[in-house]
Amino acid sequence: MTKPLYFDCHATTPVAAAVVQAMAPYWSECFGNPAGASVWGWEAEAAVEQARAAVAAAIGARPSEIIFTSGATEANNLAIKGVAEAGLARGRHLVTVTTEHSAVLAPCAYLERLGFTVDYLPVDGEGQIDLTQLAAVLRPDTVLVSIMAANNEIGVLHPLAEIGALCRERGIWFHTDAAQAIGKISLSVETLPIDLLSLTAHKCYGPKGIGALYVRTGTPLASQLHGGGQEHDRRSGTLNVPLIVGMAQALTLAIADLPHESPRLATLRDRLWAQLTAALPDLVLNGSGTNRLPHNLNFSVPGLNGNALVAALRPYLAVSSGSACAAGRPSHVLQALGRSPALANASLRFGLGKFHQADDIDRAAAVVIDAVQKLR
Ligand SMILES: Cc1ncc(COP(=O)(O)O)c(C=O)c1O
């Protein structure tokens, strides 16, 4: 079976050959438990600490500020529940945005059930927040603000420096989910006022099931996984050495490639949009024309049944309609932009990757144009 052309890099990416190679010795040769007290353990521990230093360097952090997790879902849960619990003396109020990933919205909803109050900021028609509105909802009992670096559906970038500054002035901790941003835009916690930052490896050519939470020194955090006390008692569980090594390699490569790969992807994405709109001028762009991830394109096709469109494209193109994590439901992100359920349904999300060249873009554009013209 010929597989469709893959354009779903916000869902996941293939593991880079160099990453597979870096992980290889840690499955069955250097298989020790990093907590073990023998040369087997020391060797594994050395690999983990080297990886920790590399992950820290990728975001301008100190190695001691990195906690390995099973991905961004766990990192978000640890950040939100961990700070909420540790900051109980300060209050029970949190702030986030309606367009966040479910890995932020669900822990917030969980805390609401425990008696916390959460303000969900609205977004404008392009998916951007209003900083004046953010400032207005911050209270003396606000413990945490959680706002993503880049949206996974529409790629919109949030103003981290300004959000962090508002939080810092008031002594509020600021968490950002950088699952989609890492390796695509430059991000440094050395210069940005971010207290906690979630990472995952599988969106930037690393393995699935591994991520990390950056926690700025001095930020209070209550562990959410209790057990053997690994990660300085902040996240118990035997460390997954091969995946940790793979994550470090993937992030190191992604950061090194960023200066040339991000503009290359943006050029390809703009080529795709130009071809699509030349043939189909009524397409509606979802998100901002300029303030978005370089590899993201999301648009709605007016007057079409979304399911029919997705079915027509499926044999040729692997794209997402809304978020991969919420397949089948009208996107809460597109609805937050003010799109009708019909337009939200008839939307396509392209996530470009490093394996794409101009001819892939031209084929993808031709497939979409043909499908839309036939369905109309
Ligand atoms: C913005 C965002 N946050 C969190 C996640 C969850 O990441 P993971 O798959 O590593 O748990 C994703 C993945 O879809 C995402 O896009």
Side-chain angles (χ1 to χ4, degrees):
M1 186 179 100
T2 326
K3 286 193 191 165
L5 265 181
Y6 191 80
F7 275 101
D8 206 6
C9 289
H10 296 293
T12 197
T13 55
V15 180
V19 172
V20 173
Q21 208 183 342
M23 291 192 289
Y26 296 97
W27 298 108
S28 42
E29 278 169 57
C30 311
F31 63 86
N33 185 328
S38 77
V39 72
W40 297 95
W42 300 332
E43 177 181 66
E45 190 192 5
V48 166
E49 292 317 314
Q50 204 182 329
R52 194 187 303 282
V55 170
I59 56 163
R62 300 182 208 164
S64 60
E65 296 174 318
I66 300 296
I67 302 175
F68 286 112
T69 65
S70 61
T73 300
E74 186 190 330
N76 288 345
N77 271 266
L78 176 56
I80 294 167
K81 296 179 198 164
V83 169
E85 188 183 328
L88 274 175
R90 181 183 169 102
R92 290 171 169 261
H93 178 241
L94 291 89
V95 177
T96 188
V97 179
T98 51
T99 49
E100 290 289 315
H101 191 274
S102 52
V104 163
L105 295 175
C108 286
Y110 169 80
L111 289 173
E112 282 184 288
R113 293 196 292 278
L114 296 187
F116 286 78
T117 309
V118 182
D119 267 309
Y120 296 89
L121 288 177
V123 293
D124 67 14
E126 294 191 343
Q128 327 224 41
I129 60 161
D130 176 345
L131 289 167
T132 318
Q133 256 175 348
L134 170 60
V137 297
L138 298 177
R139 318 191 313 210
D141 63 338
T142 308
V143 198
L144 182 75
V145 169
S146 179
I147 298 181
M148 68 203 325
N151 186 274
N152 49 298
E153 293 193 34
I154 54 171
V156 70
L157 308 175
H158 288 305
L160 303 180
E162 289 79 0
I163 298 167
L166 286 175
C167 292
R168 200 151 277 186
E169 279 163 18
R170 295 159 176 81
I172 298 167
W173 294 293
F174 172 38
H175 166 247
T176 191
D177 175 352
Q180 295 287 346
I182 188 70
K184 301 299 184 303
I185 58 168
S186 42
L187 263 185
S188 171
V189 294
E190 219 176 330
T191 48
L192 288 167
I194 295 168
D195 300 306
L196 305 109
L197 179 145
S198 298
L199 294 170
T200 191
H202 74 102
K203 315 281 186 188
C204 54
Y205 313 98
K208 295 167 188 59
I210 184 72
L213 179 66
Y214 155 79
V215 185
R216 187 178 292 279
T217 305
T219 308
L221 187 79
S223 171
Q224 302 299 305
L225 273 185
H226 308 282
Q230 287 88 346
E231 299 295 79
H232 296 286
D233 218 9
R234 294 180 297 182
R235 195 274 188 183
S236 285
T238 302
L239 291 169
N240 192 330
V241 183
L243 298 193
I244 287 172
V245 168
M247 174 171 184
Q249 180 71 28
L251 258 58
T252 304
L253 290 174
I255 301 298
D257 288 350
L258 193 153
H260 67 266
E261 186 59 4
S262 283
R264 191 190 76 89
L265 289 171
T267 304
L268 289 179
R269 185 268 318 275
D270 294 345
R271 179 185 181 107
L272 177 60
W273 184 233
Q275 292 187 14
L276 290 170
T277 46
L280 308 166
D282 63 338
L283 295 183
V284 179
L285 181 69
N286 294 318
S288 157
T290 48
N291 183 32
R292 72 190 301 145
L293 285 170
H295 63 313
N296 172 275
L297 181 64
N298 189 320
F299 58 88
S300 293
V301 190
L304 272 198
N305 176 303
N307 294 339
L309 177 61
V310 169
L313 295 178
R314 194 169 288 134
Y316 313 104
L317 282 184
V319 288
S320 183
S321 180
S323 156
C325 302
R329 279 173 270 142
S331 152
H332 72 283
V333 174
L334 299 186
Q335 290 190 287
L337 302 188
R339 300 283 176 267
S340 64
L343 264 190
N345 248 319
S347 74
L348 296 176
R349 176 188 70 176
F350 279 77
L352 275 57
K354 63 180 183 182
F355 42 85
H356 289 130
Q357 303 298 337
D359 57 333
D360 301 309
I361 299 300
D362 301 349
R363 276 162 66 197
V367 167
V368 175
I369 293 164
D370 184 55
V372 172
Q373 284 172 343
K374 281 188 179 136
L375 286 167
R376 272 184 171 163

